[in-house]
Amino acid sequence: MSKESKEELEKRYGHKDLPKIQNIFSYPLFCLMKILAIIYFGLGAVFLAIFVFPFIRLFSLGSKKDFGITARAYISHTFRNFLGSLNVTRTSIRKVENPKEFRDIHSKIIIANHPSLLDFVYIMSLVPNSTCIVRGSLTHTPLRGVINQAYITNTTEFDDVLVECKKLTDQGCNVIIFPEGTRSPRHGQNNYKKGAARIALYCGCDIQPIFIGGSDKYGLGKHDPLWSYNHVERYLYDFKLLPVIKIDEYKDLSEPIAAKRLTSKMEEVIRGAGAEYAKTYTGKTLNNY
């Protein structure tokens, strides 16, 4: 890696703006707890793939639709339990306005900003019948058993992704997409990609934006060292449903123009929510929006 590229990474993902570590005893403890939570999550995924999913498939009588609905509901349940354990250990806390509204989302393309590793876990715990487009590299990790059976990878041919998303949304399932395509940098912004807009247009689905606010996610962000943690305050995840973006407003446009305008609209809605949130946030550290 060139010196210039290292400087660019430091500029976008560096954490020198955080205060210095005050408690040298609690910091390694929380770093260790974070690593143990990651291991626990991975072991849980292996358990689901080896023991739970075959059992669900057996009693789904060969119906891929029934298997998918049951598997996603079970994943949502296990994610809630996992996140509950993080709350008990004071590692992470969730703040949600009107959680029932999240459970009532159906046949939508869900988009959100992407500050941390836990974003899709939290959203899937809130919206039970959902799947997510995830990194294809995750199929080379212990998560592959769950990924291959319950998620869509971004290394799949895009035409196949369109068809699969259409099938799922026609069944009432939601598809979670992070339009940035990767986790947000701590400084600066990523450009929004057109994939989410193209999928929404193909499926004919409205788009449900979700804004993820809260404290700085250092330790869970991209390029953060494994042995790192936000030592200033707990990880706070503050979820807000934003107004639905109606797809009908873009259907009469040509696909390239519609995708471009829809992508701009998504970015405008999420960035706008972030700017407003930053004005009212009262914590000690704040994510970049």
Side-chain angles (χ1 to χ4, degrees):
M1 183 179 293
S2 67
K3 181 179 179 181
E4 184 178 5
S5 61
K6 287 182 179 179
E7 290 176 351
E8 180 63 25
L9 285 176
E10 177 61 30
K11 181 179 178 181
R12 286 168 57 78
Y13 297 97
H15 59 280
K16 293 181 179 179
D17 54 319
L18 287 176
K20 291 183 178 180
I21 298 171
Q22 299 296 321
N23 191 327
I24 61 173
F25 299 104
S26 65
Y27 183 76
L29 174 62
F30 277 103
C31 286
L32 179 61
M33 289 173 61
K34 184 195 79 172
I35 294 172
L36 290 176
I38 293 173
I39 295 172
Y40 173 52
F41 186 87
L43 291 175
V46 172
F47 180 83
L48 284 177
I50 295 177
F51 298 104
V52 178
F53 282 180
F55 183 81
I56 294 175
R57 195 177 294 278
L58 177 65
F59 286 89
S60 296
L61 302 178
S63 171
K64 186 175 180 180
K65 176 181 176 181
D66 291 343
F67 168 76
I69 292 172
T70 306
R72 288 189 290 272
Y74 198 89
I75 289 173
S76 179
H77 175 73
T78 56
F79 280 2
R80 286 194 295 273
N81 288 339
F82 170 74
L83 295 169
S85 69
L86 297 186
N87 189 29
V88 169
T89 58
R90 299 190 59 80
T91 306
S92 177
I93 188 170
R94 183 189 76 181
K95 180 181 177 183
V96 184
E97 296 178 0
N98 302 318
K100 186 179 183 300
E101 293 183 4
F102 286 82
R103 295 193 294 272
D104 290 339
I105 299 173
H106 302 286
S107 297
K108 298 287 194 305
I109 302 299
I110 297 175
I111 64 165
N113 54 314
H114 194 12
S116 82
L117 279 171
L118 291 176
D119 302 333
F120 87 95
V121 180
Y122 268 112
I123 294 176
M124 290 192 70
S125 73
L126 289 166
V127 189
N129 193 19
S130 296
T131 189
C132 186
I133 297 181
V134 299
R135 294 197 327 270
S137 60
L138 290 175
T139 58
H140 304 296
T141 71
L143 301 178
R144 64 181 177 271
V146 173
I147 297 295
N148 290 334
Q149 298 187 69
Y151 299 98
I152 304 169
T153 63
N154 60 9
T155 52
T156 305
E157 289 292 333
F158 191 70
D159 287 344
D160 294 333
V161 171
L162 292 174
V163 172
E164 184 64 21
C165 289
K166 174 68 172 171
K167 288 180 181 178
L168 290 168
T169 53
D170 284 349
Q171 295 170 5
C173 181
N174 306 288
V175 179
I176 303 166
I177 305 173
F178 299 105
E180 293 174 79
T182 186
R183 275 169 281 169
S184 310
R186 296 190 67 251
H187 308 284
Q189 297 175 338
N190 291 325
N191 294 324
Y192 274 39
K193 301 181 184 300
K194 297 178 183 177
R198 292 177 61 191
I199 291 171
L201 290 165
Y202 182 87
C203 296
C205 292
D206 293 337
I207 296 174
Q208 176 61 70
I210 295 177
F211 175 71
I212 305 173
S215 61
D216 191 287
K217 306 299 189 297
Y218 175 63
L220 300 174
K222 190 172 183 180
H223 298 298
D224 290 345
L226 182 61
W227 192 261
S228 61
Y229 198 84
N230 180 353
H231 53 278
V232 181
E233 61 179 328
R234 291 178 69 181
Y235 291 123
L236 169 65
Y237 284 81
D238 192 355
F239 290 86
K240 297 184 181 296
L241 278 181
L242 303 177
V244 171
I245 301 174
K246 297 293 185 179
I247 202 69
D248 287 342
E249 300 176 17
Y250 302 87
K251 283 185 175 179
D252 294 334
L253 302 173
S254 66
E255 198 273 343
I257 294 176
K260 182 177 180 180
R261 292 186 181 179
L262 189 52
T263 301
S264 297
K265 179 63 175 179
M266 291 189 292
E267 185 168 4
E268 175 189 330
V269 170
I270 297 290
R271 302 277 194 227
E276 288 300 314
Y277 187 82
K279 294 177 183 178
T280 59
Y281 182 71
T282 57
K284 298 176 183 177
T285 62
L286 178 68
N287 257 115
N288 167 53
Y289 303 120

